[in-house]
């Protein structure tokens, strides 16, 4: 079975400091993993995805994530937070039958 | 190639009315997913459809909710006799045939408010 755990429901960082949003997954086989971002009153946008190629994945807006099989993690990082990064972030794992499993989301606040 | 389209973007209904939410997948996509996002909660899977078939409806409430994806036209999520607890954002997503490594691609969502 597949599942996703986002370890922090809320993260606050100061503008210009690094961002770390944590995601752990469980999967009975090699999964595909995704990060989505949702800005207030907006739809979901794909940030990046891992599909068994390079373990370090670069996405849009300076975000990247590293797939660590030994730790079953897919944490999202960004070297320097910007005010526009304030949003809700969802980690997603694909499952059998073309099913997708979402984490409960991490709300990122960026303090000026 | 237009993205996933959902309409209406905002829908207001009174208790007991019906709500119909429409989703047009990306061109060439025949897999459609519906998710619900309740306030203060994450996205929850509702139903997964392919053209004319419901593949997985394990996340659908047993009563009042139904979904279809006809051969022609958009996918429809229908909520009968809405209650205040149905107020949420409903997202549709689509993906290409049988490739779980691509997507899903999400629509902008429909925000349902039940008065």
């Amino acid at each position: 079975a597949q599942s996703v755990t986002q370890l922090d429901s809320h993260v606050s960082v100061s503008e210009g400091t690094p961002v770390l949003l944590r995601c752990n997954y469980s999967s009975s086989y090699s999964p595909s993993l995704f990060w989505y971002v949702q800005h207030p009153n907006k739809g979901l946008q794909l940030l990046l995805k891992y599909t068994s190629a390079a373990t370090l994945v670069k996405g849009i807006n300076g975000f990247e994530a590293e797939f660590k099989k030994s730790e079953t993690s897919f944490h999202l990082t960004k070297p320097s937070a910007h005010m526009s990064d304030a949003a809700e972030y969802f980690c997603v794992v694909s499952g059998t039958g073309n099913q997708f499993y979402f984490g409960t989301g991490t709300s990122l606040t960026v303090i000026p | 190639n237009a993205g996933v389209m959902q309409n209406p973007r905002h829908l207001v209904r009174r208790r007991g009315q019906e709500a119909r939410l429409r989703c047009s997948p990306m061109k060439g996509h025949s897999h459609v997913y519906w998710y619900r996002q309740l306030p203060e909660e994450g996205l929850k899977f509702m139903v997964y459809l392919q053209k004319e078939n419901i593949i997985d409806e394990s996340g659908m409430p047993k009563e009042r909710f139904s979904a279809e994806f006809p051969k022609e036209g958009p996918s429809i999520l229908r909520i009968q006799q809405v209650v205040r607890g149905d107020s949420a954002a409903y997202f549709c997503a689509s993906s290409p045939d049988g490739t779980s490594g691509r997507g899903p691609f999400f629509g902008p969502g429909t925000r349902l408010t039940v008065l």
Side-chain angles (χ1 to χ4, degrees):
Chain A
Q2 286 74 38
S3 67
V4 177
T5 302
Q6 290 185 242
L7 298 161
D8 308 293
S9 57
H10 299 277
V11 170
S12 290
V13 300
S14 296
E15 189 176 16
T17 65
V19 176
L20 170 64
L21 305 182
R22 298 183 293 167
C23 173
N24 285 97
Y25 69 92
S26 68
S27 178
S28 53
Y29 65 102
S30 296
S32 294
L33 292 154
F34 310 80
W35 275 98
Y36 286 86
V37 60
Q38 184 181 12
H39 288 91
N41 298 312
K42 300 283 188 183
L44 286 157
Q45 181 183 19
L46 180 65
L47 269 180
L48 50 79
K49 60 186 176 185
Y50 165 77
T51 56
S52 74
T55 56
L56 182 61
V57 182
K58 293 188 184 297
I60 61 172
N61 300 335
F63 284 94
E64 60 183 38
E66 186 172 7
F67 173 71
K68 292 187 177 179
K69 187 175 181 179
S70 61
E71 299 177 9
T72 60
S73 69
F74 190 57
H75 301 332
L76 182 70
T77 60
K78 183 173 180 178
S80 176
H82 191 273
M83 294 299 295
S84 61
D85 295 329
E88 189 85 14
Y89 292 80
F90 292 92
C91 182
V92 181
V93 63
S94 67
T96 56
N98 212 15
Q99 176 61 279
F100 296 89
Y101 299 86
F102 283 80
T104 50
T106 298
S107 177
L108 176 65
T109 300
V110 181
I111 303 165
Chain B
N1 187 4
V4 179
M5 310 287 283
Q6 288 188 250
N7 66 82
R9 296 291 306 277
H10 300 275
L11 182 62
V12 179
R13 287 287 178 266
R14 297 191 180 280
R15 281 181 296 171
Q17 292 183 321
E18 178 179 285
R20 279 179 178 252
L21 287 63
R22 295 175 184 77
C23 169
S24 298
M26 289 180 69
K27 186 178 180 180
H29 288 192
S30 61
H31 296 221
V32 166
Y33 314 80
W34 284 95
Y35 296 87
R36 177 166 62 174
Q37 185 177 23
L38 293 166
E40 307 301 325
E41 294 187 20
L43 283 162
K44 296 289 178 65
F45 167 76
M46 298 183 75
V47 62
Y48 163 38
L49 309 105
Q50 293 181 23
K51 285 283 187 181
E52 300 184 276
N53 286 305
I54 296 175
I55 306 303
D56 182 353
E57 56 181 348
S58 58
M60 288 276 273
K62 298 298 181 201
E63 297 177 349
R64 303 187 296 108
F65 284 73
S66 62
E68 62 177 12
F69 188 17
K71 187 176 181 181
E72 302 291 338
S75 175
I76 306 288
L77 179 67
R78 181 182 178 204
I79 311 172
Q80 296 178 288
Q81 299 175 319
V82 295
V83 300
R84 289 215 173 106
D86 297 332
S87 295
Y90 293 82
F91 288 91
C92 168
S94 72
S95 67
D97 290 348
T99 308
S100 64
R102 285 191 278 162
F105 298 90
F106 281 83
T110 294
R111 280 159 179 80
L112 172 65
T113 301
V114 179
L115 301 176

